[in-house]
């Protein structure tokens, strides 16, 4: 944010926690390499800040969604190994070759395109292949895989790096689909003669060693979301959202608060107004449902969340804490990312990737907090 500008809303991103989370994931991964998924601007947290920290933490392999993200990452970390999940996307393959990017080939046509460009190159060009074992989203179907493998020369002159698939229900350890997908993947794996195999993202890594294969693709767990929703979160919290109280208003019955008059006070009350709303990514569904924390005390969000403002009931908070200029946590210790997402009827992924551009972003790095 430029000098002098002030929005009264602060998003603190703890890069030390991201590095610690990378280490935690490595610790549970045994001999498998842990790649970092930094698509969507590192899940909204700023790829320009997050990717170098992961690189310093020892991460050498990165996944992004598309070639635009790959170009940005290449300029941030020149030696990174970069895989592009959405594949060639109709782009000339030379664009991938020129920047040493590894597309995840998702269709027989993409494989053929890559094979022909690889054949013209002075060395076999590495790319990944995705097979669909249950997502019905991207990758070769079982029939397409069989047809391809029936051709003896299908992979001539190209270097298959990773064989990839993606689990549909990894956050439900008891779901039989996990083992079905793993077994289908393991069965096809040797037939592709890929250098490496990669099945699991954040939650899959916690399903056990037989889900790790050679390379895991960690996204949301790096950013603090609980990859094991039924048990305590093994990851460190990464983000905190704070807003400065603009006004404290005294209201009594029969007054109401906010659009639609959805909150009716039942006693003499103090309502604090905070300059964060759904335009900042604070979900509108948290109206009358969200929790804020002020001076270590939990207080309810009352009334609807509006575009720029949210109102909280601070009746039980001493005046010296609930005063204009004081900071209120809309997300932080006591109302963490998973908790806030659950109250909003969504998932931590969506909260992270919808964080708005108005926050003053502060990054904590090596124990020091500083502006973006
Ligand atoms: C193919 C693929 N691999 C890995 C990931 C990372 O998943 P997570 O954020 O759950 O770790 C994603 C996320 O959408 C994905 O689509």
């Amino acid at each position: 944010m430029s000098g002098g500008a002030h929005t009264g809303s602060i998003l603190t991103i703890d890069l030390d926690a991201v590095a610690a989370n990378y280490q935690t994931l490595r610790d549970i991964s045994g001999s498998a390499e842990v790649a970092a998924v930094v698509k969507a601007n590192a899940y909204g947290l700023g790829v320009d800040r997050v990717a170098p920290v992961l690189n310093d933490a020892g991460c050498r392999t990165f996944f992004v969604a598309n070639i635009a993200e790959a170009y940005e990452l290449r300029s941030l970390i020149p030696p990174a190994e970069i895989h592009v999940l959405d594949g060639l996307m109709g782009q000339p393959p030379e664009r991938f070759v020129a920047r040493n990017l590894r597309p995840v080939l998702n269709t027989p046509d993409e494989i053929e395109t890559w094979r022909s460009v690889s054949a013209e190159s002075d060395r076999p060009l590495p790319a990944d292949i995705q097979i669909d074992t249950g997502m019905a989203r991207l990758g070769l179907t079982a029939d397409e895989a069989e047809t391809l493998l029936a051709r003896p020369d299908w992979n001539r002159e190209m270097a298959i790096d990773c064989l990839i698939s993606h689990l549909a229900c990894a956050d439900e350890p008891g779901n039989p689909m996990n083992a079905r997908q793993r077994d289908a993947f393991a069965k096809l794996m040797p037939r592709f003669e890929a250098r490496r195999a990669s099945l699991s993202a954040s939650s899959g890594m916690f399903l056990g060693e037989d889900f790790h294969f050679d390379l895991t693709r960690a996204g949301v767990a790096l950013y603090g979301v609980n990859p094991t929703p039924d048990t305590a979160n093994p990851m460190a919290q990464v983000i905190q959202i704070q807003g400065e109280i603009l006004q404290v208003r005294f209201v009594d019955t029969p007054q109401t608060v906010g659009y639609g008059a959805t909150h009716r006070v039942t006693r003499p009350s103090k309502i604090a107004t905070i300059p964060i709303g759904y335009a900042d990514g604070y979900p509108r569904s948290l109206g009358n449902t969200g929790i804020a924390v002020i001076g270590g005390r939990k207080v309810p969000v009352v009334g609807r969340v509006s575009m720029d403002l949210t109102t909280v009931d601070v009746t039980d908070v001493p005046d010296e804490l609930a005063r204009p200029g004081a900071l209120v946590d809309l997300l932080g210790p006591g109302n963490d990312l998973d908790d806030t997402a659950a109250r909003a009827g969504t998932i931590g992924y969506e909260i992270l990737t919808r964080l708005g551009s108005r926050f003053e972003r502060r990054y904590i790095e090596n124990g020091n907090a500083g502006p973006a």
Side-chain angles (χ1 to χ4, degrees):
M1 189 158 304
S2 53
H6 184 75
T7 63
S9 61
I10 302 165
L11 168 62
T12 304
I13 297 165
D14 187 344
L15 296 172
D16 296 341
V18 174
N21 286 339
Y22 182 71
Q23 192 53 51
T24 300
L25 295 173
R26 263 182 146 176
D27 291 343
I28 66 154
S29 296
S31 59
E33 182 185 349
V34 181
V37 182
V38 293
K39 59 195 169 90
N41 194 26
Y43 289 48
L45 300 186
V47 70
D48 57 330
R49 301 299 302 262
V50 167
V53 164
L54 288 165
N55 186 51
D56 289 348
C59 180
R60 298 290 170 259
T61 305
F62 295 84
F63 281 81
V64 293
N66 55 49
I67 190 167
E69 293 179 346
Y71 276 27
E72 185 181 6
L73 184 59
R74 172 62 71 227
S75 65
L76 289 168
I77 310 180
E81 184 184 297
I82 303 176
H83 302 250
V84 185
L85 286 165
D86 291 353
L88 296 176
M89 298 176 77
Q91 296 300 297
E94 293 76 14
R95 293 200 180 152
F96 289 78
V97 179
R99 296 255 196 333
N100 190 19
L101 307 174
R102 299 179 191 205
V104 176
L105 307 172
N106 285 309
T107 65
D109 280 353
E110 286 192 338
I111 293 171
E112 186 47 37
T113 302
W114 194 258
R115 200 187 66 74
S116 54
V117 77
S118 185
E120 285 159 22
S121 164
D122 53 1
R123 66 194 162 92
L125 298 173
D128 302 336
I129 289 181
Q130 176 154 218
I131 52 173
D132 177 16
T133 55
M135 281 290 281
R137 205 172 62 163
L138 288 176
L140 303 183
T141 64
D143 284 351
E144 285 171 338
E146 288 306 331
T147 307
L148 183 80
L149 292 168
R151 280 180 30 206
D153 63 340
W154 75 272
N155 58 355
R156 193 164 40 87
E157 295 171 306
M158 63 189 271
I160 311 300
D161 181 6
C162 280
L163 185 71
I164 286 181
S165 196
H166 195 50
L167 295 169
C169 305
D171 57 346
E172 300 168 28
N175 195 313
M177 193 152 171
N178 293 322
R180 276 207 301 276
Q181 286 193 262
R182 177 201 57 203
D183 295 347
F185 183 67
K187 220 165 147 189
L188 273 171
M189 204 178 66
R191 298 176 61 202
F192 273 86
E193 296 171 22
R195 190 166 75 87
R196 300 180 290 177
S198 176
L199 177 65
S200 287
S202 296
S203 292
M205 298 170 73
F206 289 84
L207 293 176
E209 219 179 300
D210 49 340
F211 285 82
H212 291 165
F213 295 92
D214 301 304
L215 182 76
T216 53
R217 309 183 302 272
V220 85
L222 293 171
Y223 312 117
V225 168
N226 187 355
T228 60
D230 296 336
T231 58
N233 190 354
M235 312 319 299
Q237 284 301 300
V238 171
I239 68 162
Q240 182 178 26
I241 293 176
Q242 294 169 299
E244 247 174 48
I245 296 177
L246 295 175
Q247 284 194 8
V248 179
R249 181 172 297 280
F250 297 87
V251 291
D252 200 351
T253 52
Q255 281 184 276
T256 60
V257 179
Y259 284 122
T262 60
H263 177 73
R264 187 172 292 282
V265 296
T266 55
R267 57 173 178 157
S269 302
K270 284 191 300 188
I271 305 294
T273 302
I274 297 156
I276 295 173
Y278 59 77
D280 302 294
Y282 190 70
R284 187 170 179 273
S285 55
L286 287 174
N288 293 311
T289 312
I291 293 283
V293 174
I294 174 164
R297 291 163 206 247
K298 290 188 182 187
V299 293
V301 170
V302 291
R304 286 191 185 149
V305 172
S306 45
M307 185 186 294
D308 315 309
L309 301 169
T310 294
T311 36
V312 298
D313 186 333
V314 292
T315 310
D316 298 325
V317 180
D319 289 349
E320 62 272 21
L321 292 175
R323 56 176 166 73
L327 284 177
V328 176
D329 281 12
L330 284 189
L331 194 156
N335 53 348
D336 72 17
L337 188 51
D338 290 290
D339 182 42
T340 304
R343 286 176 182 279
T346 183
I347 51 177
Y349 297 73
E350 192 174 31
I351 303 256
L352 286 172
T353 54
R354 290 192 170 197
L355 291 168
S357 58
R358 290 196 295 197
F359 289 106
E360 177 192 329
R361 286 186 175 224
R362 293 182 183 166
Y363 286 92
I364 297 175
E365 192 168 9
N366 300 322
N368 299 313

